[in-house]
Amino acid sequence: MSDVTTRDEDGILVITIDRPEAKNAMTKAAAEAIAEALDRLDSDDALRVGIITGAGGTFCSGMDLKGFLRGESPVVEGRGFGGLVQQPPKKPLIAAVDGYALAGGLELMIACDLVVANSGAKFGIPEVKRGLAAAAGGLMMLPDLIPHKIAMELALTGDFIDAQRAFEIGLVNRVCEGQALTAAMELARTINENGPLAVQVSKQVIEESRGWNRDERWDRQAQIVPKVFMSEDAREGAAAFAEKRKPNWKGK
């Protein structure tokens, strides 16, 4: 049985970590399968949005410690932990979180563009409780996403926070009742209604501009955005608006 399963529906690729008996702890095989699925997401024009979730009511409990003791590392060269954290896909990726997103599971989650969580979900980087550190992105990325002192508290105490608190500090986009995947699919379908090239470039600018100097921002953006305004989709979007119909996107 595979550690990861995938399915696609209406242009959405759903990637499921499928190790419920181990709380979806990340293995080398799972990381490689996720990397392969993300490559497919970016290369297949029929796919526009990805969702990553976990089977059995848990998102991901982090690194598989039994594998760690055997010398296994759930890292893919060039892509990092879980085949994701160092090289996210170019297309939007949503984390659908039920249960626990802990340690590497939280780091996997924050590497995604958007997060939908069940109201009962729990979040944390408890590595310090095991004499480890959240070195798969948590220590570096959390301060970019939430207030510095809250990130520091999570890292130094290893304590968990609930979904409502995660929403309040901006770690989660939406909190839902019921399965997070259902709400994530709704969000993905909303994104899918928009021009795929415009969506991809918008993500690119938001991500890359965090590292741009203030004085170079406009020039750097001007190197990326024109292809959107000169695209067939831009003309189609304007025509569809004028003709009061849904646009027929081509992604070019």
Side-chain angles (χ1 to χ4, degrees):
M1 183 175 179
S2 175
D3 286 357
V4 172
T5 62
T6 62
R7 67 178 176 89
D8 53 271
E9 178 182 333
D10 300 327
I12 303 164
L13 179 65
V14 180
I15 305 165
T16 303
I17 308 167
D18 196 7
R19 304 188 69 234
E21 74 288 349
K23 301 296 183 186
N24 296 323
M26 186 59 58
T27 62
K28 179 71 169 179
E32 291 173 344
I34 290 170
E36 183 178 344
L38 296 178
D39 285 341
R40 181 188 165 206
L41 172 65
D42 274 343
S43 64
D44 189 340
D45 290 341
L47 298 172
R48 297 185 181 180
V49 181
I51 296 174
I52 186 165
T53 191
T58 295
F59 180 70
C60 176
S61 59
M63 177 175 63
D64 186 279
L65 294 179
K66 292 180 180 178
F68 171 73
L69 292 174
R70 294 192 302 268
E72 179 182 286
S73 175
V75 169
V76 175
E77 186 175 356
R79 303 202 75 138
F81 179 86
L84 167 62
V85 300
Q86 291 181 27
Q87 187 184 329
K90 295 177 182 178
K91 295 176 184 177
L93 183 63
I94 303 169
V97 180
D98 297 300
Y100 292 98
L102 302 178
L106 183 95
E107 292 165 315
L108 201 69
M109 181 194 90
I110 63 177
C112 297
D113 302 298
L114 302 165
V115 181
V116 176
N118 174 269
S119 60
K122 303 289 184 183
F123 309 86
I125 44 173
E127 281 89 341
V128 290
K129 294 181 181 292
R130 298 291 179 265
L132 301 171
L139 300 179
M140 295 184 291
M141 295 171 64
L142 270 178
D144 289 339
L145 302 173
I146 62 176
H148 176 87
K149 292 190 182 300
I150 297 177
M152 189 70 77
E153 181 179 351
L154 289 173
L156 301 187
T157 65
D159 289 344
F160 302 167
I161 58 174
D162 62 19
Q164 183 57 38
R165 179 61 171 154
F167 176 77
E168 290 169 354
I169 63 175
L171 194 59
V172 166
N173 294 87
R174 299 182 181 184
V175 178
C176 66
E177 301 299 330
Q179 191 178 29
L181 180 58
T182 301
M185 289 292 289
E186 293 177 3
L187 180 57
R189 290 189 182 102
T190 299
I191 295 171
N192 269 358
E193 292 176 0
N194 302 319
L197 180 61
V199 166
Q200 187 171 319
V201 168
S202 294
K203 169 180 172 170
Q204 180 184 356
V205 171
I206 287 175
E207 285 297 316
E208 293 183 6
S209 64
R210 289 191 293 176
W212 295 346
N213 292 326
R214 186 174 296 273
D215 293 341
E216 65 179 5
R217 285 180 176 178
W218 291 102
D219 289 339
R220 294 288 293 272
Q221 180 178 256
Q223 297 171 16
I224 300 171
V225 169
K227 63 183 177 182
V228 174
F229 290 89
M230 295 185 293
S231 68
E232 290 184 34
D233 277 356
R235 293 189 293 274
E236 169 63 11
F241 177 79
E243 296 165 12
K244 295 183 170 61
R245 60 173 174 82
K246 292 187 69 172
N248 180 24
W249 304 121
K250 296 181 179 178
K252 60 183 181 179

